[in-house]
Amino acid sequence: MRTPPAVLVSGAGVAGPVLAHQLVRLGFAPVVVERAPAPQAGPGGFGVDLFGPGVEVMERLGVLDRVREAATGNTRMRLVRPVGRPLDLDLGALAQEASTDRHVEVMRGDLASILYAATRDDVEYVFGDSVEGVAQTPHGLEVSFERGAPRVFDLMAGADGLHSATRRLVFGPEERYRRFLGGHVAVFGLPEPRGFDGRVVLYRSAGRTAAVFPVRGTGRARGALLFRGEQEFAGDHRDTEAQRRFLRAAFAGEGWEVPRLLDAADSAEDLYFDSISQIRMDSWTRGRVALVGDAGYAPGPAVGGGTTVAAVGAYTLAHRLGRASGDHLAAFPGYEEDIGGYVRRSREVGPRSLRTLVPGSRWEAALGFGAMWLLPRLPRTLLRAAVNADSRAARVLSSVDLPEPAPRPRPSR
Ligand SMILES: Cc1cc2nc3c(=O)[nH]c(=O)nc-3n(C[C@H](O)[C@H](O)[C@H](O)COP(=O)(O)OP(=O)(O)OC[C@H]3O[C@@H](n4cnc5c(N)ncnc54)[C@H](O)[C@@H]3O)c2cc1C
């Protein structure tokens, strides 16, 4: 019997475990290396969306029931503005009018742990390490790590997110591929979520949005701060003090609960802060290395729907490799062809959602509030038309057909 091709997967977020799951099914031997010291535990992070084909990937992996059980279930929302009464909405009722029936929102931490649980028995996971060097030879890849001993692989997939080390090592510096979309996002845990009554609360003023969202089953809530601006944060991504100062400057003078949220961001140990940017590449493979998910085509954190794109990309790559029995020269062009159009279409979602989520002016904020006030009051046919007109992001993110599952082969090299 031939030895199964050894595939190194860098990153155990969403794309990495999806890819590893399918590679095992198709007869490969994946090894996943993850920089975090341990598997994700609990509903950490933020809510992410799986639309049509992303839901289908979870179904084909056999984890959809678990994903649905973990769904955030956040349907009640309160919209708050600097002056005037707040507006309460039931998004569940509005969503029923949308034509996109396949959608699940789940905390990223829950999704990552469900995918890890579904793969850990068959996949070698190495936590607390990172790829440091990749040398491509005619016969394979010699990979060195920050901590572990060097190893040889047949193939490698970079699924290590927006700031991918694989991309930097194999394709060149991040600046070459990253486009700033004109916004920033911060997400952090709240010490005491009193006063929010289990609903998502969204405060929007000119160029700034603040949100509190409950984390189901925990009694806790998380805060998010998003803001627009031409100037990108120029500090070091590890300098959390500089990030906090940047946040404070952006939200200076805002009312509602914003000062309390800024205090929470100051003391949070789990502060996530980043500029909202996209990865734009023309090609996602080089030699024996492929990029998948945010590493290759992040459409923009918090605004771009990257989770669906990542799940689809990972599933597609696995099945192209399966069909080609591990021959990357045959599989990689097919992978690029399958996802290229979808990835390019997905790039429109981030800038558009950023404009919707964070109004550019007081006028836009008032208009958005008025539109939301009007929605539940519309006659049913108009309501359906309005909701569907507004679901362009869902349509774009659903605009791809998953490849037919490759038959379980005996890959050879
Ligand atoms: C604040 C925020 C809000 C978001 N909201 C949404 C949303 O509402 N809807 C949506 O669809 N998407 C959303 N996203 C985007 C979504 O999280 C990503 O598109 C999705 O997780 C992509 O999956 P991935 O596996 O490609 O990358 P990631 O989930 O980022 O996983 C990458 C993994 O690689 C690991 N890693 C990083 N560097 C290394 C290294 N050098 N070596 C080894 N491992 C490494 C990381 O620790 C991580 O586990 C949001 C993102 C952010 C940041």
Side-chain angles (χ1 to χ4, degrees):
M1 215 172 84
R2 285 169 193 261
T3 319
V7 185
L8 176 64
V9 179
S10 174
V14 178
V18 168
L19 176 64
H21 184 283
Q22 290 299 289
L23 286 178
V24 168
R25 179 187 168 274
L26 296 167
F28 295 77
V31 174
V32 180
V33 61
E34 162 62 47
R35 165 162 275 165
Q40 180 93 42
F46 33 84
V48 297
D49 301 284
L50 288 164
F51 289 102
V55 173
E56 198 175 333
V57 169
M58 298 306 146
E59 197 165 27
R60 291 194 191 182
L61 265 59
V63 298
L64 183 56
D65 287 348
R66 268 167 278 162
V67 172
R68 284 203 193 283
E69 277 163 26
T72 59
N74 289 334
T75 57
R76 291 189 311 130
M77 177 186 274
R78 170 165 287 181
L79 280 181
V80 183
R81 47 189 170 165
V83 282
R85 287 161 62 90
L87 171 67
D88 289 333
L89 290 165
D90 180 352
L91 298 181
L94 295 179
Q96 280 174 10
E97 303 299 335
S99 58
T100 49
D101 55 338
R102 301 206 93 195
H103 171 239
V104 188
E105 186 195 59
V106 62
M107 296 301 281
R108 183 193 166 282
D110 279 334
L111 183 58
S113 37
I114 289 168
L115 292 169
Y116 170 67
T119 47
R120 69 179 161 211
D121 292 341
D122 305 310
V123 173
E124 179 188 342
Y125 275 91
V126 179
F127 286 94
D129 208 347
S130 169
V131 171
E132 196 177 49
V134 182
Q136 307 217 29
T137 74
H139 309 293
L141 293 165
E142 289 164 10
V143 182
S144 58
F145 297 90
E146 283 177 8
R147 297 163 67 106
R151 290 172 74 167
V152 174
F153 295 90
D154 297 294
L155 301 168
M156 177 176 175
D160 38 12
L162 182 59
H163 303 293
S164 166
T166 309
R167 188 182 58 233
R168 175 171 45 77
L169 290 168
V170 178
F171 295 78
E174 181 169 305
E175 305 81 77
R176 201 179 289 168
Y177 304 110
R178 198 171 61 79
R179 300 281 177 281
F180 176 54
L181 296 184
H184 291 81
V185 56
V187 182
F188 44 88
L190 295 179
E192 35 171 340
R194 66 192 152 80
F196 295 109
D197 189 24
R199 61 181 137 211
V200 177
V201 187
L202 212 61
Y203 165 92
R204 297 177 355 132
S205 71
R208 303 172 187 95
T209 291
V212 173
F213 53 96
V215 183
R216 184 175 166 171
T218 64
R220 306 199 66 83
R222 296 178 68 76
L225 296 167
L226 285 100
F227 57 101
R228 278 162 69 171
E230 293 308 311
Q231 202 59 43
E232 186 173 7
F233 175 72
D236 191 293
H237 70 276
R238 283 160 301 202
D239 188 351
T240 47
E241 287 315 311
Q243 294 167 359
R244 287 172 171 134
R245 283 197 300 275
F246 196 67
L247 271 179
R248 280 207 174 268
F251 281 85
E254 289 294 344
W256 182 60
E257 294 281 336
V258 171
R260 190 145 76 90
L261 290 178
L262 288 167
D263 289 345
D266 273 351
S267 53
E269 286 176 6
D270 60 352
L271 173 69
Y272 167 90
F273 173 88
D274 207 345
S275 62
I276 299 179
S277 41
Q278 258 180 10
I279 298 298
R280 294 195 192 171
M281 305 178 80
D282 295 327
S283 165
W284 301 280
T285 63
R286 185 164 289 180
R288 293 171 174 270
V289 181
L291 295 177
V292 68
D294 273 11
Y297 30 83
V303 294
T307 309
T308 299
V309 188
V312 168
Y315 185 88
T316 304
L317 175 59
H319 284 265
R320 277 292 182 172
L321 283 168
R323 286 189 183 285
S325 300
D327 176 1
H328 65 285
L329 294 176
F332 283 178
Y335 165 59
E336 304 220 352
E337 199 180 308
D338 287 349
I339 61 152
Y342 179 54
V343 163
R344 287 183 191 94
R345 283 193 296 284
S346 74
R347 289 174 187 161
E348 76 164 65
V349 173
R352 184 188 287 266
S353 302
L354 179 58
R355 286 196 297 274
T356 312
L357 200 57
V358 189
S361 61
R362 283 170 60 184
W363 163 243
E364 272 180 40
L367 205 66
F369 192 91
M372 292 308 269
W373 180 86
L374 198 62
L375 268 187
R377 294 166 173 81
L378 287 174
R380 206 177 163 97
T381 39
L382 279 181
L383 169 63
R384 188 168 300 150
V387 171
N388 285 331
D390 200 38
S391 61
R392 184 169 169 83
R395 282 204 304 279
V396 169
L397 294 168
S398 301
S399 67
V400 69
D401 291 322
L402 287 184
E404 283 306 308
R408 282 175 190 267
R410 286 174 299 283
S412 58
R413 298 175 40 210

